[in-house]
Amino acid sequence: MADGDGFLGGMHADGEGKGMPDDHTWKKTKEAERRSSGSFGVWSDFVGVWQLMSVEYRDEHGEVTPTPFGEMVGTLIYTVEGTVAVQMYRVNRPHFSVPDPYAASDEQTRLAFEGMNCYYGSYKVDPVRATVTHYIEDASLPNRQGGALLRSFSFQENGDQLTLRAVPRLLRGKNLTGQLVWKRIHSSVQP
């Protein structure tokens, strides 16, 4: 996490998709063009609450590599109004040894912080490029505030599974591409 982008990295979206894999990797589809709607570029397919099913990293040769953060759990929420919220946590994070979280040791605090990734903001879908951009209002990683994360996406399982893929980035000394698979647990978000 030395580069400040946190889990799965990202890029500051420039509207041109710089840094995304080449077109043969992320193909635009007629289905993507057909589903585009809404003033925010929000697709009804995105709206809902999603549970993290898996996180996978691949190196520059396409080989799967162990995730640097261990097993993760998480929730992703997209609203029809264009809000996105993400919470991801490493499974089995160690508990603090004291009841007061502000009295925990520096090591305990570091491990708790490194084992989480949370942010919220707005999002916009580009159906032609099959990308979604998360515009971050605030985040557990301060360097992400005001930034944007560009992800390619695809839907599976009749729209109830969403795969998001980050751009390649240096992570703990290796150039890795992260891929998250989410399962829809609610198809709408109630106020």
Side-chain angles (χ1 to χ4, degrees):
M1 295 195 323
D3 66 3
D5 282 333
F7 293 28
L8 296 183
M11 62 178 271
H12 288 271
D14 58 8
E16 297 299 318
K18 293 177 183 173
M20 288 302 295
D22 53 31
D23 286 341
H24 79 275
T25 305
W26 311 121
K27 296 177 182 174
K28 61 183 178 180
T29 65
K30 291 293 181 187
E31 181 179 328
E33 292 171 7
R34 180 178 56 78
R35 291 182 177 182
S36 177
S37 66
S39 61
F40 291 97
V42 176
W43 296 6
S44 60
D45 288 351
F46 278 84
V47 175
V49 180
W50 301 82
Q51 178 182 1
L52 184 62
M53 301 305 294
S54 67
V55 178
E56 176 182 276
Y57 288 88
R58 292 186 180 266
D59 65 20
E60 59 271 5
H61 306 292
E63 298 294 321
V64 175
T65 184
T67 118
F69 307 107
E71 185 181 354
M72 303 289 291
V73 295
T75 300
L76 167 64
I77 300 171
Y78 288 109
T79 71
V80 71
E81 296 83 10
T83 298
V84 62
V86 177
Q87 293 185 24
M88 295 190 307
Y89 300 95
R90 183 174 49 229
V91 172
N92 298 324
R93 288 186 303 156
H95 290 209
F96 292 152
S97 62
V98 293
D100 181 351
Y102 296 100
S105 71
D106 289 347
E107 178 68 5
Q108 290 173 329
T109 302
R110 182 185 65 77
L111 290 172
F113 180 77
E114 285 182 353
M116 64 178 283
N117 179 26
C118 304
Y119 65 86
Y120 68 90
S122 61
Y123 72 102
K124 185 172 181 178
V125 175
D126 182 337
V128 175
R129 299 183 90 136
T131 61
V132 59
T133 304
H134 295 178
Y135 298 96
I136 299 173
E137 186 174 332
D138 209 346
S140 56
L141 298 170
N143 293 5
R144 281 192 166 174
Q145 294 171 351
L149 298 175
L150 181 65
R151 303 285 187 250
S152 66
F153 69 86
S154 62
F155 288 97
Q156 301 82 33
E157 303 293 325
N158 296 319
D160 285 334
Q161 184 173 299
L162 170 63
T163 300
L164 297 177
R165 187 170 292 162
V167 297
R169 65 179 291 247
L170 186 64
L171 187 60
R172 294 195 176 173
K174 296 180 180 179
N175 194 25
L176 301 176
T177 300
Q179 175 178 287
L180 294 94
V181 177
W182 300 89
K183 179 181 179 182
R184 187 189 309 269
I185 56 176
H186 298 289
S187 60
S188 64
V189 179
Q190 302 297 322

